Amino acid sequence: MEFQDLKEEEEPREEELKALAISDDFQKKVSLEQACIPSDIADFDWSSIDTSQLPSSYKINSPKEKKLLHIADSFLQRYAHLHPDRKPLFLHPVNECGLQKFVSTTVRPTLLPYPELYYWDGCASFVSDYLTMVPLKSLVTPPTSLYSPTTILKYQRGNCFDFSVLLCSMLIGAGYDAYCVHGYASREICTLDETLELCPLLKKPQERQVPKEEEKKSSSKYRIKFPPVRQSQFDLQQEAKKKAEAEAAQKKKEREEGKVTEVEKPRRDRLHGLRVHAWVLVLSGKREVPETFFINPFTGSSHSTKDESFLGIESIWNHRNYWVNTQDCRSGCKDLIFDLSNTICWEIMLLESKKPLQLLADYKENELPDSNMDDMQEKEEEDMSFDIPPSWVAPIQLSPREFETRYSQGRKVILYKKAKLEKWAPYLNRDGLVKRLTVYADLEPHTYTSLEPETDRTMEFYSEARADGLQKRLENAREMTEYFLGRDDFLHVRHTEFGQREKNVHLAGTSTDTNSRPITEIKECFHRNVKKPADEDVAERTFLITEERIQLTYHLKDYYITASTKEFFKATKRNRKRNEISVTPEISCITYQAGPAEKELSLFHLYDLLQELKEEEKRLKRQVWQSEAEVLDILKICEDEETTVKLSVSTYNTGRNEKRRQQYEVM
């Protein structure tokens, strides 16, 4: 079997790869990747775990296990002789007690008493959530140890081989034809890097495509002939034009997002094709599995056997046997044949019948003299037809509390492409939160909205339950927009702009005049009131407070394309001697009349209108300050609710329902 080679000139050659373990570049690369691992995971010392209470099967090999290890050593010697360029097989690593165990005996088929774990996706999801990933000590060689699934479950951490053995044990127990795989995968798969993957919650469900039934050709003369469907040439031209415009817009968008696309591409990997990984293979057939597929135990997601992220396979095993892949993997796993009965593609270690082993036959033809052929063949066939002993692993058990808690320390965070998914165990958070998805606009550093005042937020209200008919309020540090519904004054939008505040923000209950943001502009929009003439029905009213101007825009009259407007200036001239205000059209009001006016307004009417608008401006200021105070009150209530949440517990959950538990004990 050949694996993907490094084709770049600057890549290390085959001879140099043997020295990767001691090269400076390799050590730097390993240290950089391991620097991303949390300190509590990287600093965990497996040698400090307590093994004194483990069963004797963890510390002593039975005679049958010793014989199996002898067979494995013989198989490994013949394999190394016939394939000197292949890497050593992962056959009998040591367990947590330092004792060599054959990998197949580490698999312990188990069906746990939880309905979710009866299906492959439930088992895969549980393993990926329950365990914490620990990277391999060497990125290009398999580990020297393989601990029991019971120990891995106890400490809730392990490498890819530990994940795979536990998941395979659960899948076989649930009736699936599952196997552990030792092979090679991409950097993203091996390091659990999902930052370039779309979050599963954001993926659109695939539309089911139902194949159209072919029309049956009938020679019957009584067959109904439908008239041809006629299409307008103009409509076809318009559709083609729209399609061309859409394609041009898409190309323009791709050019604009070219830089982002380059950032989202995975970085070049010097160890591509050499990174060791372990995953699970599920063959079709059992449990009505229609097609063979892979499961990445780190994520719990399924992959096609043609997925380019999986680059090669050395061997596979289950609780009964061990197979070596003899197929070419230079193109990855997409061309592999997973018929394990095919001795040309897969070399089996333990014979399931008296059929001679292909590897043994090749070895005998090349090395053994004819005089010893018969005796050697009888001895080897007797060994190879050896029945594998039962698993040395203690029964895998999981309490309901452990199954429910699921995540290590009750919480798990997954970083996806422009998204972050957070999961919590039930009843861990006081507010009952179990899942939160945060979606970002790009790949740069991000901020999030909190309960702090004057940040970006949207509040929606029941307009029927409010006297002011407020339906929605949008707010940020500089603006506030309120939408209304069903008001008698036909107001439907109020937009407020704020200036810079010198003082700090205070909670509601303090003086609004001293702590509120300075208002620079208030704009109101009104629906049409058909009971009024269009020249008297205001459509937009803008109070430019800092400029001391008030603008009125009226609704359009029928058959007109411009609307009447009025603009008032509050800084009117005063008579210094008599302290009187002089109102003139040139100074205090600028009027535009669209068409003839139904009723002319005198200067005194304009003066009264200006005074009304000034009073309305004061009222609106108070209304905006009250809206700010209402926002602070709502945020304070939300904060109090989050700190005083009391979750209701099911009556049947006696573990958490103290009252029910006491009643049960009395009964």
Side-chain angles (χ1 to χ4, degrees):
M1 179 181 62
E2 298 181 4
F3 295 93
Q4 293 185 354
D5 297 326
L6 303 176
K7 300 180 181 180
E8 305 291 341
E9 292 182 1
E10 63 273 20
E11 297 292 337
R13 298 179 180 177
E14 184 175 358
E15 295 81 9
E16 296 174 350
L17 293 176
K18 298 179 180 179
L20 277 175
I22 58 175
S23 65
D24 294 338
D25 294 340
F26 182 75
Q27 293 295 338
K28 290 178 181 179
K29 190 172 187 66
V30 173
S31 61
L32 286 175
E33 292 189 359
Q34 292 182 346
C36 302
I37 306 300
S39 58
D40 59 335
I41 299 176
D43 297 340
F44 185 79
D45 185 11
W46 283 103
S47 62
S48 62
I49 64 175
D50 183 18
T51 60
S52 59
Q53 303 299 324
L54 295 177
S56 59
S57 60
Y58 286 59
K59 306 172 184 178
I60 303 174
N61 281 328
S62 65
K64 207 168 185 180
E65 286 180 301
K66 294 179 181 179
K67 185 177 181 180
L68 179 60
L69 292 175
H70 174 72
I71 296 174
D73 287 332
S74 301
F75 182 82
L76 185 59
Q77 290 176 5
R78 291 190 297 271
Y79 170 83
H81 177 78
L82 294 177
H83 304 282
D85 296 334
R86 293 277 295 270
K87 294 184 178 181
L89 296 176
F90 187 68
L91 278 174
H92 42 57
V94 298
N95 65 357
E96 52 265 50
C97 296
L99 188 66
Q100 279 191 342
K101 294 288 186 178
F102 186 61
V103 290
S104 294
T105 61
T106 308
V107 179
R108 176 66 186 254
T110 303
L111 178 61
L112 295 171
Y114 304 103
E116 179 183 347
L117 302 184
Y118 185 64
Y119 302 94
W120 74 262
D121 51 348
C123 295
S125 176
F126 170 78
V127 171
S128 64
D129 290 340
Y130 193 79
L131 302 182
T132 301
M133 187 271 282
V134 177
L136 295 173
K137 293 182 179 180
S138 174
L139 303 180
V140 295
T141 56
T144 58
S145 61
L146 183 64
Y147 293 172
S148 64
T150 55
T151 299
I152 298 302
L153 281 175
K154 179 179 179 180
Y155 293 97
Q156 287 190 258
R157 64 190 68 227
N159 56 42
C160 54
F161 287 83
D162 301 320
F163 273 69
S164 300
V165 169
L166 175 59
L167 177 57
C168 189
S169 300
M170 298 172 63
L171 292 176
I172 295 176
Y176 290 93
D177 192 10
Y179 303 81
C180 297
V181 181
H182 163 213
Y184 306 90
S186 65
R187 174 181 53 202
E188 288 71 28
I189 292 288
C190 297
T191 59
L192 189 52
D193 183 4
E194 299 182 84
T195 54
L196 297 180
E197 299 291 333
L198 185 64
C199 178
L201 299 180
L202 299 177
K203 293 181 180 179
K204 296 181 181 180
Q206 296 181 353
E207 297 182 359
R208 185 182 178 186
Q209 298 181 353
V210 180
K212 297 181 180 180
E213 296 182 357
E214 296 183 357
E215 297 182 357
K216 298 181 178 179
K217 296 182 179 180
S218 175
S219 59
S220 175
K221 63 180 180 179
Y222 300 104
R223 183 169 59 90
I224 299 176
K225 297 182 179 180
F226 296 96
V229 179
R230 300 183 181 274
Q231 291 183 333
S232 170
Q233 294 296 326
F234 177 77
D235 292 341
L236 294 176
Q237 292 176 359
Q238 293 298 317
E239 291 179 2
K241 184 179 179 181
K242 291 181 180 179
K243 184 177 180 181
E245 292 177 353
E247 292 178 354
Q250 181 65 23
K251 291 181 180 179
K252 182 179 179 181
K253 183 179 179 181
E254 291 177 356
R255 288 194 300 267
E256 293 176 352
E257 297 180 352
K259 296 182 179 180
V260 179
T261 305
E262 291 295 330
V263 174
E264 294 177 358
K265 288 183 179 179
R267 294 175 288 108
R268 179 170 163 270
D269 184 16
R270 291 188 60 193
L271 300 179
H272 184 74
L274 301 174
R275 292 178 181 269
V276 172
H277 189 58
W279 63 93
V280 174
L281 166 69
V282 180
L283 296 183
S284 59
K286 291 186 177 180
R287 290 294 306 269
E288 299 180 356
V289 175
E291 186 178 357
T292 300
F293 64 95
F294 294 149
I295 301 178
N296 182 11
F298 282 166
T299 62
S301 57
S302 63
H303 298 264
S304 169
T305 56
K306 302 182 183 300
D307 195 321
E308 296 181 354
S309 298
F310 299 90
L311 307 176
I313 294 178
E314 288 280 4
S315 60
I316 66 173
W317 68 91
N318 62 1
H319 62 301
R320 292 179 177 174
N321 220 321
Y322 189 96
W323 292 262
V324 179
N325 179 29
T326 57
Q327 303 173 73
D328 188 357
C329 290
R330 283 180 294 183
S331 300
C333 299
K334 61 181 181 180
D335 297 327
L336 296 185
I337 298 174
F338 291 96
D339 180 10
L340 301 183
S341 62
N342 188 337
T343 58
I344 299 178
C345 300
W346 297 93
E347 188 63 51
I348 192 171
M349 176 177 159
L350 300 175
L351 288 179
E352 298 176 350
S353 65
K354 295 300 181 181
K355 185 178 179 180
L357 192 66
Q358 182 68 27
L359 181 64
L360 179 60
D362 296 340
Y363 183 79
K364 291 171 182 176
E365 291 176 1
N366 295 333
E367 298 296 331
L368 294 180
D370 296 337
S371 58
N372 298 329
M373 178 68 72
D374 296 336
D375 297 338
M376 187 65 180
Q377 181 175 357
E378 293 179 1
K379 183 178 183 302
E380 293 293 343
E381 289 184 359
E382 180 181 358
D383 289 341
M384 291 304 175
S385 60
F386 173 79
D387 292 333
I388 195 168
S391 176
W392 54 273
V393 179
I396 301 175
Q397 298 178 351
L398 195 68
S399 67
R401 176 61 62 88
E402 292 172 339
F403 177 72
E404 187 182 62
T405 303
R406 204 173 187 104
Y407 313 109
S408 178
Q409 300 179 352
R411 181 175 182 263
K412 183 177 182 180
V413 180
I414 307 175
L415 298 179
Y416 292 102
K417 179 181 179 181
K418 300 180 183 179
K420 179 176 69 172
L421 180 61
E422 299 170 275
K423 299 179 181 180
W424 289 272
Y427 302 99
L428 180 66
N429 293 323
R430 299 184 62 179
D431 59 354
L433 180 65
V434 295
K435 184 182 295 185
R436 178 169 61 196
L437 175 64
T438 307
V439 181
Y440 304 108
D442 49 43
L443 298 176
E444 300 298 327
H446 311 285
T447 59
Y448 60 92
T449 302
S450 64
L451 292 179
E452 294 297 325
E454 301 176 14
T455 56
D456 294 351
R457 67 170 42 82
T458 300
M459 291 184 176
E460 296 185 0
F461 303 87
Y462 293 101
S463 58
E464 298 85 356
R466 294 180 60 100
D468 58 357
L470 180 62
Q471 183 184 28
K472 184 167 61 173
R473 179 181 289 139
L474 282 68
E475 184 188 15
N476 56 35
R478 301 299 300 272
E479 297 176 338
M480 180 172 65
T481 305
E482 296 172 298
Y483 298 88
F484 301 90
L485 190 65
R487 286 178 60 111
D488 296 335
D489 58 358
F490 297 92
L491 174 67
H492 65 92
V493 176
R494 179 187 295 141
H495 178 77
T496 307
E497 295 184 5
F498 302 97
Q500 295 290 342
R501 179 200 276 113
E502 297 180 358
K503 298 183 180 181
N504 296 328
V505 181
H506 297 279
L507 294 177
T510 59
S511 176
T512 57
D513 295 335
T514 58
N515 295 318
S516 297
R517 291 173 286 181
I519 302 173
T520 61
E521 180 182 331
I522 300 177
K523 180 180 179 180
E524 292 183 314
C525 300
F526 299 85
H527 288 302
R528 180 74 172 91
N529 184 2
V530 295
K531 295 182 180 180
K532 292 183 179 181
D535 286 345
E536 300 178 10
D537 190 14
V538 178
E540 291 184 3
R541 184 168 64 180
T542 306
F543 297 88
L544 303 171
I545 298 173
T546 56
E547 301 178 12
E548 296 189 344
R549 292 188 296 130
I550 302 175
Q551 297 175 344
L552 299 180
T553 302
Y554 295 88
H555 283 281
L556 284 171
K557 294 196 298 185
D558 294 339
Y559 310 111
Y560 281 79
I561 61 174
T562 58
S564 301
T565 61
K566 288 184 176 67
E567 184 173 5
F568 292 93
F569 299 88
K570 293 188 293 181
T572 57
K573 287 187 176 181
R574 289 179 176 270
N575 191 324
R576 295 182 179 179
K577 295 182 179 179
R578 301 179 181 180
N579 197 23
E580 295 178 352
I581 302 175
S582 61
V583 181
T584 61
E586 293 82 4
I587 298 177
S588 297
C589 180
I590 299 176
T591 303
Y592 168 74
Q593 179 63 41
E598 296 185 6
K599 183 170 60 174
E600 293 290 342
L601 294 179
S602 64
L603 295 180
F604 292 102
H605 286 93
L606 291 176
Y607 175 77
D608 292 339
L609 180 59
L610 176 59
Q611 299 305 314
E612 292 178 4
L613 292 174
K614 288 182 178 180
E615 294 298 324
E616 187 69 16
E617 180 180 310
K618 295 178 182 178
R619 186 188 67 82
L620 287 178
K621 284 184 178 180
R622 292 192 296 268
Q623 182 65 45
V624 171
W625 289 332
Q626 291 176 4
S627 297
E628 287 188 276
E630 183 184 27
V631 170
L632 295 177
D633 287 336
I634 293 175
L635 295 179
K636 187 66 170 63
I637 293 173
C638 292
E639 185 178 358
D640 294 340
E641 288 178 349
E642 288 189 359
T643 56
T644 58
V645 169
K646 186 177 180 181
L647 299 178
S648 60
V649 183
S650 172
T651 306
Y652 303 100
N653 191 344
T654 58
R656 287 192 172 91
N657 195 322
E658 185 66 21
K659 182 178 179 181
R660 177 60 179 168
R661 187 181 63 81
Q662 293 177 358
Q663 294 177 353
Y664 182 79
E665 291 178 354
V666 172
M667 293 173 59

